[in-house]
């Protein structure tokens, strides 16, 4: 098994855990503050991670460059706004459906990867990704009677548009991070990904602190008061991001994000066991299609 596969599965699990914790915090902190804790409490761990790789694993620090800085800023800003859209989405639909809409990302990541990086996919991989996205669409329509009108609503309604936009911006972010990591002339993908993660989360923390100070200083106070729950979001977020960054340095973004749809399996478990939200047969069918798409992707 190629290394990027277990790394991606672990990253998907940690991302699902982070999203579940953010949903819990969203009602107490609001969308912007709940989004901030992912970065604010995560960047010190990312910095410690890089330091440990240097001191104990013997990895040298890669030389930074202008291309790295540019793509890191693009990816960091895109991830901030995509995260805010996703957290806001949780207040419109249940946890599983909110996450499902954002999982149109693999197709959009494939498009952005082709445009920005010139990456191409095999025919089998394209079919597998489409099967997974059909599964996502089934999940998004699960609470509606099957009809062309409801299909149109599922694809063009407010919730759908926010979710698809979130997936698109996450796709841009992922491609930018791969470009940033690959632009480093580093000792290997692990250190390149770790340095990218540390630099990006530090920038995101500074950007959002300035934003919250300008918009509502009280949000910063609330983030500090909820440090116990918020620090768990930061820990889960940075562990997941370390996995994503490493996997995307090893493999094309579209493949990594397609396999990352396994997060929805974890999401349904969290939705059912943690939030006691009902899961319908169509949602389960959509989840099965996503798993089939993932298996098809791996075998292709």
């Amino acid at each position: 098994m190629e290394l990027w596969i277990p790394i991606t599965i672990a990253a998907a699990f940690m991302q699902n855990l982070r999203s579940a914790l953010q949903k819990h915090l969203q009602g107490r902190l609001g969308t912007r503050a709940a989004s901030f804790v992912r970065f604010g409490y995560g960047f010190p761990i990312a910095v410690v991670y890089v330091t440990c790789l240097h001191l104990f694993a013997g990895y040298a620090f890669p030389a930074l460059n202008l291309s790295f800085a540019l793509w890191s800023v693009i990816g960091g800003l895109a991830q901030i706004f995509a995260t805010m859209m996703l957290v806001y989405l949780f207040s419109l639909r249940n946890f599983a459906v909110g996450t499902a809409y954002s999982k149109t990302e693999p197709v959009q990541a494939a498009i952005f990867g082709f445009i920005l990086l010139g990456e191409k996919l095999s025919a089998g991989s394209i079919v597998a990704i489409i099967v997974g996205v059909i599964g996502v669409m089934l999940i998004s329509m699960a609470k509606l009677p099957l009809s062309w009108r409801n299909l149109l609503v599922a694809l063009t309604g407010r919730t759908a548009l926010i979710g698809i936009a979130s997936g698109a911006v996450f796709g841009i972010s992922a491609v930018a991070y791969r470009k940033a990591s690959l632009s480093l002339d580093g000792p290997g993908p692990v250190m390149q990904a770790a340095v990218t993660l540390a630099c990006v989360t530090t920038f995101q923390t500074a950007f959002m602190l300035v934003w919250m100070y300008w918009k509502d200083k009280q949000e910063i106070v609330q983030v500090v008061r909820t440090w116990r729950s918020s620090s768990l979001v930061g820990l889960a977020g940075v562990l997941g991001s370390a996995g994503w960054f490493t996997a995307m340095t090893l493999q094309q973004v579209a493949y990594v994000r397609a396999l990352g749809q396994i997060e929805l399996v974890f999401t349904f478990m969290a939705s059912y066991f943690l939030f006691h939200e009902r899961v319908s047969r169509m949602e389960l069918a959509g989840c099965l299609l996503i798993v089939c798409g993932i298996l098809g992707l791996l075998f292709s």
Side-chain angles (χ1 to χ4, degrees):
M1 180 184 294
E2 295 182 40
L3 182 60
W4 69 274
I5 295 175
I7 291 175
T8 299
I9 294 173
F13 176 80
M14 295 308 301
Q15 179 166 298
N16 178 72
L17 177 60
R18 186 215 70 220
S19 294
L21 292 169
Q22 278 182 307
K23 175 180 171 66
H24 175 71
L25 280 174
Q26 197 263 349
R28 299 164 59 187
L29 297 180
T31 299
R32 184 167 43 237
S35 301
F36 166 79
V37 297
R38 169 182 182 177
F39 314 114
Y41 284 94
F43 92 90
I45 304 171
V47 172
V48 170
Y49 176 45
V50 170
T51 304
C52 289
L53 286 176
H54 175 65
L55 295 178
F56 301 112
Y59 286 106
F61 288 110
L64 307 184
N65 54 68
L66 184 59
S67 176
F68 169 80
L70 175 63
W71 287 108
S72 293
V73 169
I74 292 173
L77 291 176
Q79 189 178 33
I80 286 173
F81 293 110
T83 300
M84 290 183 65
M85 284 189 281
L86 181 60
V87 171
Y88 176 66
L89 200 58
F90 292 152
S91 66
L92 300 180
R93 294 291 296 271
N94 72 27
F95 178 64
V97 175
T99 304
Y101 272 116
S102 70
K103 290 303 166 187
T104 56
E105 179 190 350
V107 170
Q108 301 182 79
I111 295 171
F112 293 127
F114 174 75
I115 294 172
L116 298 177
L117 304 179
E119 297 177 340
K120 299 179 181 179
L121 304 177
S122 68
S125 299
I126 293 173
V127 171
I129 291 173
I130 291 174
V131 168
V133 172
I134 291 174
V136 170
M137 291 298 99
L138 279 181
I139 291 170
S140 68
M141 290 184 60
K143 304 300 183 184
L144 302 172
L146 280 176
S147 68
W148 286 109
R149 181 178 181 276
N150 287 335
L151 176 61
L152 185 63
V153 170
L155 293 175
T156 61
R158 181 188 180 194
T159 303
L161 293 178
I162 294 173
I164 293 170
S166 173
V169 182
F170 270 127
I172 293 172
S173 173
V175 172
Y177 288 152
R178 174 169 167 80
K179 184 71 172 178
S181 184
L182 291 177
S183 70
L184 293 175
D185 186 18
V190 173
M191 189 60 168
Q192 289 171 229
V195 170
T196 304
L197 174 63
C199 291
V200 166
T201 51
T202 301
F203 161 73
Q204 290 170 321
T205 300
F207 177 85
M208 291 206 71
L209 275 175
V210 172
W211 190 8
M212 289 192 299
Y213 184 82
W214 176 47
K215 284 290 187 180
D216 187 357
K217 300 180 183 66
Q218 189 62 29
E219 288 183 328
I220 300 176
V221 176
Q222 292 172 336
V223 166
V224 174
R225 285 177 178 171
T226 61
W227 68 268
R228 290 182 178 85
S229 300
S230 298
S231 60
L232 291 177
V233 174
L235 177 61
V238 78
L239 290 176
S241 294
W244 289 125
F245 280 43
T246 304
M248 289 186 296
T249 304
L250 292 167
Q251 181 57 271
Q252 292 184 32
V253 173
Y255 289 125
V256 173
R257 287 310 199 184
L259 176 58
Q261 286 181 326
I262 197 172
E263 180 192 351
L264 278 176
V265 177
F266 304 137
T267 296
F268 275 108
M269 295 173 65
S271 181
Y272 183 80
F273 290 109
L274 295 181
F275 303 116
H276 307 293
E277 296 169 343
R278 295 182 61 186
V279 179
S280 69
R281 292 180 180 178
M282 190 176 293
E283 287 172 330
L284 290 175
C287 191
L288 181 61
L289 277 179
I290 290 171
V291 172
C292 289
I294 290 169
L295 291 175
L297 178 72
L298 297 180
F299 283 116
S300 68

PDB file of all heavy atoms in Angstrom, residues 269-295:
ATOM      1  N   MET A 269     -21.211   8.295  11.410  1.00  0.00           N
ATOM      2  CA  MET A 269     -21.083   7.716  12.743  1.00  0.00           C
ATOM      3  C   MET A 269     -21.195   8.806  13.807  1.00  0.00           C
ATOM      4  O   MET A 269     -21.886   8.636  14.822  1.00  0.00           O
ATOM      5  CB  MET A 269     -19.742   6.979  12.857  1.00  0.00           C
ATOM      6  CG  MET A 269     -19.630   5.773  11.946  1.00  0.00           C
ATOM      7  SD  MET A 269     -17.970   5.032  11.936  1.00  0.00           S
ATOM      8  CE  MET A 269     -17.853   4.474  13.632  1.00  0.00           C
ATOM      9  N   ALA A 270     -20.528   9.947  13.579  1.00  0.00           N
ATOM     10  CA  ALA A 270     -20.608  11.064  14.525  1.00  0.00           C
ATOM     11  C   ALA A 270     -22.023  11.640  14.564  1.00  0.00           C
ATOM     12  O   ALA A 270     -22.549  11.971  15.629  1.00  0.00           O
ATOM     13  CB  ALA A 270     -19.608  12.149  14.141  1.00  0.00           C
ATOM     14  N   SER A 271     -22.637  11.774  13.379  1.00  0.00           N
ATOM     15  CA  SER A 271     -23.988  12.325  13.292  1.00  0.00           C
ATOM     16  C   SER A 271     -24.979  11.482  14.093  1.00  0.00           C
ATOM     17  O   SER A 271     -25.841  12.009  14.796  1.00  0.00           O
ATOM     18  CB  SER A 271     -24.417  12.400  11.823  1.00  0.00           C
ATOM     19  OG  SER A 271     -25.706  12.951  11.708  1.00  0.00           O
ATOM     20  N   TYR A 272     -24.820  10.167  14.003  1.00  0.00           N
ATOM     21  CA  TYR A 272     -25.767   9.254  14.658  1.00  0.00           C
ATOM     22  C   TYR A 272     -25.480   9.108  16.153  1.00  0.00           C
ATOM     23  O   TYR A 272     -26.374   9.229  16.991  1.00  0.00           O
ATOM     24  CB  TYR A 272     -25.711   7.882  13.981  1.00  0.00           C
ATOM     25  CG  TYR A 272     -26.701   6.879  14.539  1.00  0.00           C
ATOM     26  CD1 TYR A 272     -28.041   6.907  14.158  1.00  0.00           C
ATOM     27  CD2 TYR A 272     -26.287   5.913  15.455  1.00  0.00           C
ATOM     28  CE1 TYR A 272     -28.952   5.995  14.671  1.00  0.00           C
ATOM     29  CE2 TYR A 272     -27.190   4.997  15.976  1.00  0.00           C
ATOM     30  CZ  TYR A 272     -28.515   5.044  15.586  1.00  0.00           C
ATOM     31  OH  TYR A 272     -29.403   4.142  16.107  1.00  0.00           O
ATOM     32  N   PHE A 273     -24.205   8.879  16.495  1.00  0.00           N
ATOM     33  CA  PHE A 273     -23.869   8.564  17.878  1.00  0.00           C
ATOM     34  C   PHE A 273     -23.659   9.792  18.757  1.00  0.00           C
ATOM     35  O   PHE A 273     -23.959   9.760  19.948  1.00  0.00           O
ATOM     36  CB  PHE A 273     -22.605   7.689  17.922  1.00  0.00           C
ATOM     37  CG  PHE A 273     -22.812   6.293  17.397  1.00  0.00           C
ATOM     38  CD1 PHE A 273     -22.257   5.923  16.184  1.00  0.00           C
ATOM     39  CD2 PHE A 273     -23.562   5.370  18.099  1.00  0.00           C
ATOM     40  CE1 PHE A 273     -22.443   4.636  15.680  1.00  0.00           C
ATOM     41  CE2 PHE A 273     -23.759   4.088  17.619  1.00  0.00           C
ATOM     42  CZ  PHE A 273     -23.205   3.715  16.408  1.00  0.00           C
ATOM     43  N   LEU A 274     -23.131  10.897  18.185  1.00  0.00           N
ATOM     44  CA  LEU A 274     -22.838  12.081  18.989  1.00  0.00           C
ATOM     45  C   LEU A 274     -23.978  13.090  18.989  1.00  0.00           C
ATOM     46  O   LEU A 274     -24.319  13.657  20.024  1.00  0.00           O
ATOM     47  CB  LEU A 274     -21.561  12.760  18.483  1.00  0.00           C
ATOM     48  CG  LEU A 274     -20.260  11.955  18.614  1.00  0.00           C
ATOM     49  CD1 LEU A 274     -19.081  12.776  18.093  1.00  0.00           C
ATOM     50  CD2 LEU A 274     -20.004  11.556  20.069  1.00  0.00           C
ATOM     51  N   PHE A 275     -24.557  13.341  17.794  1.00  0.00           N
ATOM     52  CA  PHE A 275     -25.586  14.375  17.687  1.00  0.00           C
ATOM     53  C   PHE A 275     -27.000  13.795  17.611  1.00  0.00           C
ATOM     54  O   PHE A 275     -27.972  14.530  17.543  1.00  0.00           O
ATOM     55  CB  PHE A 275     -25.321  15.256  16.459  1.00  0.00           C
ATOM     56  CG  PHE A 275     -23.963  15.902  16.484  1.00  0.00           C
ATOM     57  CD1 PHE A 275     -23.006  15.602  15.532  1.00  0.00           C
ATOM     58  CD2 PHE A 275     -23.634  16.801  17.472  1.00  0.00           C
ATOM     59  CE1 PHE A 275     -21.751  16.185  15.552  1.00  0.00           C
ATOM     60  CE2 PHE A 275     -22.386  17.400  17.511  1.00  0.00           C
ATOM     61  CZ  PHE A 275     -21.441  17.088  16.555  1.00  0.00           C
ATOM     62  N   HIS A 276     -27.091  12.446  17.613  1.00  0.00           N
ATOM     63  CA  HIS A 276     -28.384  11.749  17.603  1.00  0.00           C
ATOM     64  C   HIS A 276     -29.281  12.214  16.458  1.00  0.00           C
ATOM     65  O   HIS A 276     -30.490  12.417  16.626  1.00  0.00           O
ATOM     66  CB  HIS A 276     -29.095  11.959  18.943  1.00  0.00           C
ATOM     67  CG  HIS A 276     -28.252  11.589  20.131  1.00  0.00           C
ATOM     68  ND1 HIS A 276     -27.872  10.287  20.410  1.00  0.00           N
ATOM     69  CD2 HIS A 276     -27.670  12.356  21.088  1.00  0.00           C
ATOM     70  CE1 HIS A 276     -27.120  10.268  21.504  1.00  0.00           C
ATOM     71  NE2 HIS A 276     -26.975  11.511  21.928  1.00  0.00           N
ATOM     72  N   GLU A 277     -28.667  12.405  15.288  1.00  0.00           N
ATOM     73  CA  GLU A 277     -29.397  12.796  14.087  1.00  0.00           C
ATOM     74  C   GLU A 277     -29.739  11.535  13.290  1.00  0.00           C
ATOM     75  O   GLU A 277     -28.910  10.642  13.131  1.00  0.00           O
ATOM     76  CB  GLU A 277     -28.549  13.756  13.240  1.00  0.00           C
ATOM     77  CG  GLU A 277     -28.263  15.064  13.956  1.00  0.00           C
ATOM     78  CD  GLU A 277     -27.218  15.919  13.243  1.00  0.00           C
ATOM     79  OE1 GLU A 277     -26.497  15.382  12.385  1.00  0.00           O
ATOM     80  OE2 GLU A 277     -27.143  17.110  13.558  1.00  0.00           O
ATOM     81  N   ARG A 278     -30.968  11.472  12.793  1.00  0.00           N
ATOM     82  CA  ARG A 278     -31.408  10.291  12.061  1.00  0.00           C
ATOM     83  C   ARG A 278     -30.711  10.181  10.706  1.00  0.00           C
ATOM     84  O   ARG A 278     -30.480  11.171  10.034  1.00  0.00           O
ATOM     85  CB  ARG A 278     -32.920  10.346  11.846  1.00  0.00           C
ATOM     86  CG  ARG A 278     -33.723  10.266  13.155  1.00  0.00           C
ATOM     87  CD  ARG A 278     -35.204  10.284  12.877  1.00  0.00           C
ATOM     88  NE  ARG A 278     -35.601   9.135  12.070  1.00  0.00           N
ATOM     89  CZ  ARG A 278     -36.832   8.966  11.581  1.00  0.00           C
ATOM     90  NH1 ARG A 278     -37.763   9.876  11.799  1.00  0.00           N
ATOM     91  NH2 ARG A 278     -37.124   7.892  10.871  1.00  0.00           N
ATOM     92  N   VAL A 279     -30.397   8.963  10.316  1.00  0.00           N
ATOM     93  CA  VAL A 279     -29.756   8.695   9.033  1.00  0.00           C
ATOM     94  C   VAL A 279     -30.718   7.856   8.184  1.00  0.00           C
ATOM     95  O   VAL A 279     -31.159   6.782   8.599  1.00  0.00           O
ATOM     96  CB  VAL A 279     -28.426   7.933   9.219  1.00  0.00           C
ATOM     97  CG1 VAL A 279     -27.788   7.631   7.871  1.00  0.00           C
ATOM     98  CG2 VAL A 279     -27.471   8.747  10.083  1.00  0.00           C
ATOM     99  N   SER A 280     -31.083   8.366   6.991  1.00  0.00           N
ATOM    100  CA  SER A 280     -32.069   7.682   6.151  1.00  0.00           C
ATOM    101  C   SER A 280     -31.396   6.648   5.262  1.00  0.00           C
ATOM    102  O   SER A 280     -30.170   6.582   5.158  1.00  0.00           O
ATOM    103  CB  SER A 280     -32.796   8.712   5.276  1.00  0.00           C
ATOM    104  OG  SER A 280     -31.908   9.248   4.307  1.00  0.00           O
ATOM    105  N   ARG A 281     -32.238   5.860   4.587  1.00  0.00           N
ATOM    106  CA  ARG A 281     -31.720   4.841   3.675  1.00  0.00           C
ATOM    107  C   ARG A 281     -30.974   5.472   2.504  1.00  0.00           C
ATOM    108  O   ARG A 281     -29.977   4.931   2.030  1.00  0.00           O
ATOM    109  CB  ARG A 281     -32.874   3.978   3.154  1.00  0.00           C
ATOM    110  CG  ARG A 281     -33.511   3.096   4.226  1.00  0.00           C
ATOM    111  CD  ARG A 281     -34.650   2.266   3.642  1.00  0.00           C
ATOM    112  NE  ARG A 281     -35.254   1.412   4.661  1.00  0.00           N
ATOM    113  CZ  ARG A 281     -36.291   0.603   4.436  1.00  0.00           C
ATOM    114  NH1 ARG A 281     -36.831   0.558   3.210  1.00  0.00           N
ATOM    115  NH2 ARG A 281     -36.775  -0.127   5.410  1.00  0.00           N
ATOM    116  N   MET A 282     -31.493   6.605   2.005  1.00  0.00           N
ATOM    117  CA  MET A 282     -30.819   7.246   0.879  1.00  0.00           C
ATOM    118  C   MET A 282     -29.448   7.773   1.293  1.00  0.00           C
ATOM    119  O   MET A 282     -28.495   7.727   0.518  1.00  0.00           O
ATOM    120  CB  MET A 282     -31.671   8.381   0.306  1.00  0.00           C
ATOM    121  CG  MET A 282     -31.128   8.935  -1.017  1.00  0.00           C
ATOM    122  SD  MET A 282     -32.182  10.206  -1.760  1.00  0.00           S
ATOM    123  CE  MET A 282     -33.618   9.229  -2.179  1.00  0.00           C
ATOM    124  N   GLU A 283     -29.356   8.274   2.514  1.00  0.00           N
ATOM    125  CA  GLU A 283     -28.056   8.722   3.012  1.00  0.00           C
ATOM    126  C   GLU A 283     -27.087   7.550   3.101  1.00  0.00           C
ATOM    127  O   GLU A 283     -25.907   7.673   2.755  1.00  0.00           O
ATOM    128  CB  GLU A 283     -28.224   9.395   4.369  1.00  0.00           C
ATOM    129  CG  GLU A 283     -28.858  10.777   4.283  1.00  0.00           C
ATOM    130  CD  GLU A 283     -29.199  11.353   5.639  1.00  0.00           C
ATOM    131  OE1 GLU A 283     -29.493  10.574   6.568  1.00  0.00           O
ATOM    132  OE2 GLU A 283     -29.179  12.589   5.781  1.00  0.00           O
ATOM    133  N   LEU A 284     -27.588   6.406   3.551  1.00  0.00           N
ATOM    134  CA  LEU A 284     -26.740   5.216   3.608  1.00  0.00           C
ATOM    135  C   LEU A 284     -26.341   4.760   2.201  1.00  0.00           C
ATOM    136  O   LEU A 284     -25.204   4.339   1.978  1.00  0.00           O
ATOM    137  CB  LEU A 284     -27.477   4.082   4.340  1.00  0.00           C
ATOM    138  CG  LEU A 284     -27.674   4.280   5.850  1.00  0.00           C
ATOM    139  CD1 LEU A 284     -28.511   3.147   6.430  1.00  0.00           C
ATOM    140  CD2 LEU A 284     -26.329   4.354   6.566  1.00  0.00           C
ATOM    141  N   ALA A 285     -27.293   4.860   1.243  1.00  0.00           N
ATOM    142  CA  ALA A 285     -26.973   4.498  -0.144  1.00  0.00           C
ATOM    143  C   ALA A 285     -25.909   5.436  -0.704  1.00  0.00           C
ATOM    144  O   ALA A 285     -24.978   5.005  -1.403  1.00  0.00           O
ATOM    145  CB  ALA A 285     -28.239   4.560  -1.005  1.00  0.00           C
ATOM    146  N   GLY A 286     -26.033   6.726  -0.401  1.00  0.00           N
ATOM    147  CA  GLY A 286     -25.030   7.688  -0.842  1.00  0.00           C
ATOM    148  C   GLY A 286     -23.674   7.383  -0.239  1.00  0.00           C
ATOM    149  O   GLY A 286     -22.640   7.459  -0.918  1.00  0.00           O
ATOM    150  N   CYS A 287     -23.674   7.019   1.033  1.00  0.00           N
ATOM    151  CA  CYS A 287     -22.430   6.656   1.701  1.00  0.00           C
ATOM    152  C   CYS A 287     -21.800   5.434   1.045  1.00  0.00           C
ATOM    153  O   CYS A 287     -20.585   5.368   0.858  1.00  0.00           O
ATOM    154  CB  CYS A 287     -22.709   6.392   3.179  1.00  0.00           C
ATOM    155  SG  CYS A 287     -21.246   6.229   4.206  1.00  0.00           S
ATOM    156  N   LEU A 288     -22.637   4.453   0.655  1.00  0.00           N
ATOM    157  CA  LEU A 288     -22.139   3.252  -0.010  1.00  0.00           C
ATOM    158  C   LEU A 288     -21.509   3.595  -1.361  1.00  0.00           C
ATOM    159  O   LEU A 288     -20.458   3.052  -1.727  1.00  0.00           O
ATOM    160  CB  LEU A 288     -23.285   2.251  -0.205  1.00  0.00           C
ATOM    161  CG  LEU A 288     -22.923   0.922  -0.880  1.00  0.00           C
ATOM    162  CD1 LEU A 288     -21.881   0.163  -0.059  1.00  0.00           C
ATOM    163  CD2 LEU A 288     -24.164   0.059  -1.075  1.00  0.00           C
ATOM    164  N   LEU A 289     -22.148   4.501  -2.105  1.00  0.00           N
ATOM    165  CA  LEU A 289     -21.581   4.926  -3.386  1.00  0.00           C
ATOM    166  C   LEU A 289     -20.227   5.620  -3.196  1.00  0.00           C
ATOM    167  O   LEU A 289     -19.307   5.432  -3.992  1.00  0.00           O
ATOM    168  CB  LEU A 289     -22.549   5.878  -4.108  1.00  0.00           C
ATOM    169  CG  LEU A 289     -23.678   5.236  -4.912  1.00  0.00           C
ATOM    170  CD1 LEU A 289     -24.552   6.313  -5.528  1.00  0.00           C
ATOM    171  CD2 LEU A 289     -23.124   4.325  -5.990  1.00  0.00           C
ATOM    172  N   ILE A 290     -20.132   6.399  -2.145  1.00  0.00           N
ATOM    173  CA  ILE A 290     -18.857   7.069  -1.859  1.00  0.00           C
ATOM    174  C   ILE A 290     -17.769   6.037  -1.589  1.00  0.00           C
ATOM    175  O   ILE A 290     -16.646   6.144  -2.098  1.00  0.00           O
ATOM    176  CB  ILE A 290     -19.014   8.028  -0.659  1.00  0.00           C
ATOM    177  CG1 ILE A 290     -19.871   9.232  -1.065  1.00  0.00           C
ATOM    178  CG2 ILE A 290     -17.651   8.498  -0.150  1.00  0.00           C
ATOM    179  CD1 ILE A 290     -20.270  10.113   0.089  1.00  0.00           C
ATOM    180  N   VAL A 291     -18.113   5.024  -0.804  1.00  0.00           N
ATOM    181  CA  VAL A 291     -17.146   3.954  -0.522  1.00  0.00           C
ATOM    182  C   VAL A 291     -16.765   3.228  -1.811  1.00  0.00           C
ATOM    183  O   VAL A 291     -15.586   2.914  -2.042  1.00  0.00           O
ATOM    184  CB  VAL A 291     -17.713   2.971   0.519  1.00  0.00           C
ATOM    185  CG1 VAL A 291     -16.794   1.758   0.666  1.00  0.00           C
ATOM    186  CG2 VAL A 291     -17.885   3.660   1.866  1.00  0.00           C
ATOM    187  N   CYS A 292     -17.756   2.962  -2.680  1.00  0.00           N
ATOM    188  CA  CYS A 292     -17.473   2.310  -3.970  1.00  0.00           C
ATOM    189  C   CYS A 292     -16.552   3.180  -4.817  1.00  0.00           C
ATOM    190  O   CYS A 292     -15.636   2.671  -5.487  1.00  0.00           O
ATOM    191  CB  CYS A 292     -18.778   2.044  -4.722  1.00  0.00           C
ATOM    192  SG  CYS A 292     -19.795   0.741  -3.997  1.00  0.00           S
ATOM    193  N   GLY A 293     -16.806   4.489  -4.813  1.00  0.00           N
ATOM    194  CA  GLY A 293     -15.941   5.394  -5.553  1.00  0.00           C
ATOM    195  C   GLY A 293     -14.514   5.367  -5.031  1.00  0.00           C
ATOM    196  O   GLY A 293     -13.553   5.384  -5.802  1.00  0.00           O
ATOM    197  N   ILE A 294     -14.384   5.305  -3.706  1.00  0.00           N
ATOM    198  CA  ILE A 294     -13.051   5.241  -3.098  1.00  0.00           C
ATOM    199  C   ILE A 294     -12.333   3.955  -3.493  1.00  0.00           C
ATOM    200  O   ILE A 294     -11.156   3.964  -3.876  1.00  0.00           O
ATOM    201  CB  ILE A 294     -13.162   5.346  -1.561  1.00  0.00           C
ATOM    202  CG1 ILE A 294     -13.592   6.765  -1.169  1.00  0.00           C
ATOM    203  CG2 ILE A 294     -11.832   4.997  -0.895  1.00  0.00           C
ATOM    204  CD1 ILE A 294     -13.975   6.893   0.289  1.00  0.00           C
ATOM    205  N   LEU A 295     -13.051   2.824  -3.422  1.00  0.00           N
ATOM    206  CA  LEU A 295     -12.449   1.540  -3.798  1.00  0.00           C
ATOM    207  C   LEU A 295     -12.056   1.533  -5.286  1.00  0.00           C
ATOM    208  O   LEU A 295     -10.990   1.046  -5.663  1.00  0.00           O
ATOM    209  CB  LEU A 295     -13.430   0.403  -3.509  1.00  0.00           C
ATOM    210  CG  LEU A 295     -13.703   0.131  -2.016  1.00  0.00           C
ATOM    211  CD1 LEU A 295     -14.776  -0.940  -1.858  1.00  0.00           C
ATOM    212  CD2 LEU A 295     -12.428  -0.286  -1.294  1.00  0.00           C
TER     213      LEU A 295
END
